[in-house]
Amino acid sequence: MKKFYFKIACIPAIFLLIVGSNMNTHAQNGWEQMTSMDAANGGSQSCIIDSLIYLFGGSNKAGIILNSTEVYNTQTNKWSTLSTAPKDFVEAGGGFIKGKMYISGGYYNSANPLYSSSTYVYDPVQDIWETKQDCPRKNAGAASCVLEDKLYVFGGLKNWPDYDISGQKDAFVYNPETDTWNTLPDMLFKRGSGAKACAYNGRIYVFGGFSFDCLYDGTLKCARLVEKAEQYDPIENKWTELADLPVPVVFHITNVYNDKIYLFGGNSYQSRSHSVCTNAIQEYDPATDMWKLMEPMPFNRSDMAAERIGDFLYLIGGYPFNSQIFSTVLADVWRFDLNMLSEGCEEIKIVEPTDTIFEGDEIELHADVQPPNFANKTIIWSSDNDSLVTVLDSTKGIIKCQKPGTVVITAKLKYGDCSDSYSLRILENPTGISEYIAENIRIYPNPLNKVLTIETASLDLYHIDIATVNGQLLLSKEMKGNMYQIDMSAFRSGVYFITICSKDFNTTRKILKY
């Protein structure tokens, strides 16, 4: 099988490494840093009333779980402290219903974290807290949202003292009018802590989170991210699977804007030793069940609180690196103008292959996506004429050239609108030659770093030339036997052409040195 390398270049987004709290100097368009909180906070709950953002609970730099209530005035850009909650909590579920904030579950007790089933309501007018009916199950890190004046809670972790942190599928709904909980049908996927939910157009959407299909062993080696998304329809009372997330995350935030659902940041947790926050912004279109990757945030962040006022999204606190490292938690407040949302990739360019292509050839189209840190480089390849070229694997770029003719090959970024097309000409197969080349010459690896290996099925004498793209001859050798290796470690990174010829044929291939 031939391998042709198509270079696909995406215009880089602006990235900024953020450390500490002085992060507004070079922020990309649309981002502005506001007045920080008095103390750092991560994993809190929030709600909004007019121009006021209320912040509840969370944890600080010392890992202390809080019972604080704070309010941020977006018009004066100032913070104030209100009355404390009856219990400390972090990673709780919550939602704002008819002028009051309801909080349920989460962790409490900093010295020995426990899971909670407690439910409280906060009245911002009177600045008082009241205890409500407990949730049917203790949980921490559950996803939650409000729909039609009811609080929905999904998944979460089991009781910590039992050392069973398996992700759960169960779902509950709380009615403030009657102060009662009801059980809903289970979700399709287990979701431990870090999943997020939002309501849109009468339905509920749940994204990401952990899945712990094991007992806690002190290392969490069994933890994995849930890349799945699903939708709950309260009228039909059932769940439906949706398209997978481009970037699986936990402890992200969700927000609805202009009929799209946006996921900001989160953590790409793989293990306790490899837990890295992301700056990704993922756009989900409920109408088409499709995702796009947008221009990322100018910082990496997880476990934020977030609220939207008009076209502005406020992101509060969170962790810049590993969500388990309490000492890194931030007090930052950022404001983002959602009108500035744009795709992360702006252009794709296909470099035409140099090899001659014959009918019967099976080709692997390789895509080099730029920028290198683009969050998901998946490309969908297609042909405009299946009778001439059949796409055998649309994501790996493997095609089969069926017969002579010209066909348009298109490369499209899976998570964006960027695309480019190329007219591929397929020649009639000269008797015996292309089969001989395809079956008897192997050149690998390609791309390569150091050593290039050439294999043949016969013991003929071969002549090998390696030249630059400008035609400068760098190496000329004769090969005897059916295997030959060339040390290219001293070659500069770039594209080269290798020509192999014998008494029966002459072929030129493109190789990429990195």
Side-chain angles (χ1 to χ4, degrees), residues 11 36 52 61 72 85 108 116 130 153 225 248 258 296 310 324 349 357 368 455 463 490 505 513:
I11 300 299
S36 298
L52 302 178
K61 284 183 175 293
Y72 172 66
Y108 70 100
S116 174
E130 182 182 353
V153 176
L225 297 181
N258 284 349
Q324 304 295 321
K349 291 183 178 178
I357 300 169
D368 178 22
E455 287 186 3
H463 188 84
F505 72 91
K513 169 69 168 58

Side-chain angles (χ1 to χ4, degrees), residues 130-379:
E130 182 182 353
T131 301
K132 293 294 183 179
Q133 181 67 37
D134 285 356
C135 182
R137 178 177 64 80
K138 294 180 179 180
N139 67 71
S144 62
C145 70
V146 171
L147 177 63
E148 295 181 352
D149 296 330
K150 295 182 177 63
L151 175 63
Y152 289 78
V153 176
F154 308 102
L157 302 179
K158 282 187 177 180
N159 196 19
W160 180 266
D162 296 335
Y163 293 95
D164 186 348
I165 57 172
S166 298
Q168 299 301 298
K169 291 184 177 181
D170 51 11
F172 307 98
V173 58
Y174 174 73
N175 187 341
E177 294 291 335
T178 59
D179 190 25
T180 56
W181 288 88
N182 289 310
T183 301
L184 300 173
D186 284 354
M187 293 184 291
L188 302 176
F189 306 99
K190 287 185 176 181
R191 299 182 190 272
S193 61
K196 298 296 178 179
C198 67
Y200 169 75
N201 199 25
R203 295 179 176 85
I204 294 174
Y205 296 78
V206 184
F207 305 98
F210 281 123
S211 176
F212 297 94
D213 297 323
C214 60
L215 295 178
Y216 179 70
D217 60 5
T219 63
L220 298 184
K221 291 179 181 178
C222 52
R224 68 176 182 86
L225 297 181
V226 180
E227 73 279 5
K228 301 295 184 180
E230 55 189 303
Q231 173 201 90
Y232 174 69
D233 187 329
I235 296 177
E236 297 185 1
N237 197 29
K238 72 174 186 178
W239 292 90
T240 303
E241 183 177 356
L242 306 174
D244 291 353
L245 279 65
V247 183
V249 285
V250 296
F251 303 121
H252 48 289
I253 63 173
T254 60
N255 204 270
V256 178
Y257 181 72
N258 284 349
D259 298 319
K260 305 289 195 305
I261 300 174
Y262 292 91
L263 278 57
F264 286 77
N267 197 294
S268 60
Y269 187 99
Q270 298 178 29
S271 69
R272 290 180 70 87
S273 61
H274 188 187
S275 175
V276 181
C277 294
T278 179
N279 61 356
I281 300 177
Q282 307 181 64
E283 178 191 271
Y284 177 73
D285 186 346
T288 61
D289 189 30
M290 295 180 65
W291 291 89
K292 286 184 184 178
L293 284 169
M294 313 303 285
E295 184 179 8
M297 302 185 297
F299 46 79
N300 293 29
R301 199 62 48 84
S302 71
D303 253 6
M304 300 172 284
E307 295 293 340
R308 180 171 68 86
I309 300 178
D311 293 332
F312 291 99
L313 182 68
Y314 291 81
L315 298 87
I316 304 170
Y319 297 88
F321 304 113
N322 184 330
S323 63
Q324 304 295 321
I325 302 177
F326 296 113
S327 61
T328 66
V329 68
L330 301 172
D332 297 340
V333 178
W334 284 87
R335 186 176 74 176
F336 176 55
D337 184 350
L338 293 166
N339 287 308
M340 303 302 293
L341 283 164
S342 61
E343 285 193 43
C345 178
E346 297 179 0
E347 183 180 17
I348 292 180
K349 291 183 178 178
I350 299 178
V351 178
E352 300 178 10
T354 59
D355 292 38
T356 301
I357 300 169
F358 298 100
E359 60 177 313
D361 284 348
E362 186 175 307
I363 303 170
E364 179 182 353
L365 305 173
H366 176 79
D368 178 22
V369 181
Q370 297 295 329
N373 52 0
F374 193 77
N376 190 316
K377 301 178 181 181
T378 303
I379 288 171

Side-chain angles (χ1 to χ4, degrees), residues 454 461-466 473-480 484-487 491 498-501:
I454 303 169
L461 179 66
Y462 299 91
H463 188 84
I464 302 169
D465 288 339
I466 297 181
L473 185 64
L474 302 180
L475 181 146
S476 184
K477 294 282 187 180
E478 284 191 348
M479 170 181 168
K480 296 180 180 180
Y484 192 77
Q485 291 186 320
I486 302 173
D487 186 356
F491 284 56
I498 180 169
T499 300
I500 304 172
C501 61

Side-chain angles (χ1 to χ4, degrees), residues 38 45 47-49 52-57 66-73 78-86 96 99 101 122-129:
D38 293 335
Q45 269 289 344
C47 72
I48 189 166
I49 304 175
L52 302 178
I53 299 176
Y54 289 80
L55 200 67
F56 308 97
L66 307 172
N67 65 346
S68 58
T69 304
E70 299 180 79
V71 61
Y72 172 66
N73 190 320
K78 292 182 179 180
W79 285 88
S80 302
T81 301
L82 302 173
S83 63
T84 57
F96 189 66
M101 182 64 183
Y122 174 71
D123 185 339
V125 175
Q126 302 183 59
D127 189 25
I128 59 173
W129 288 85

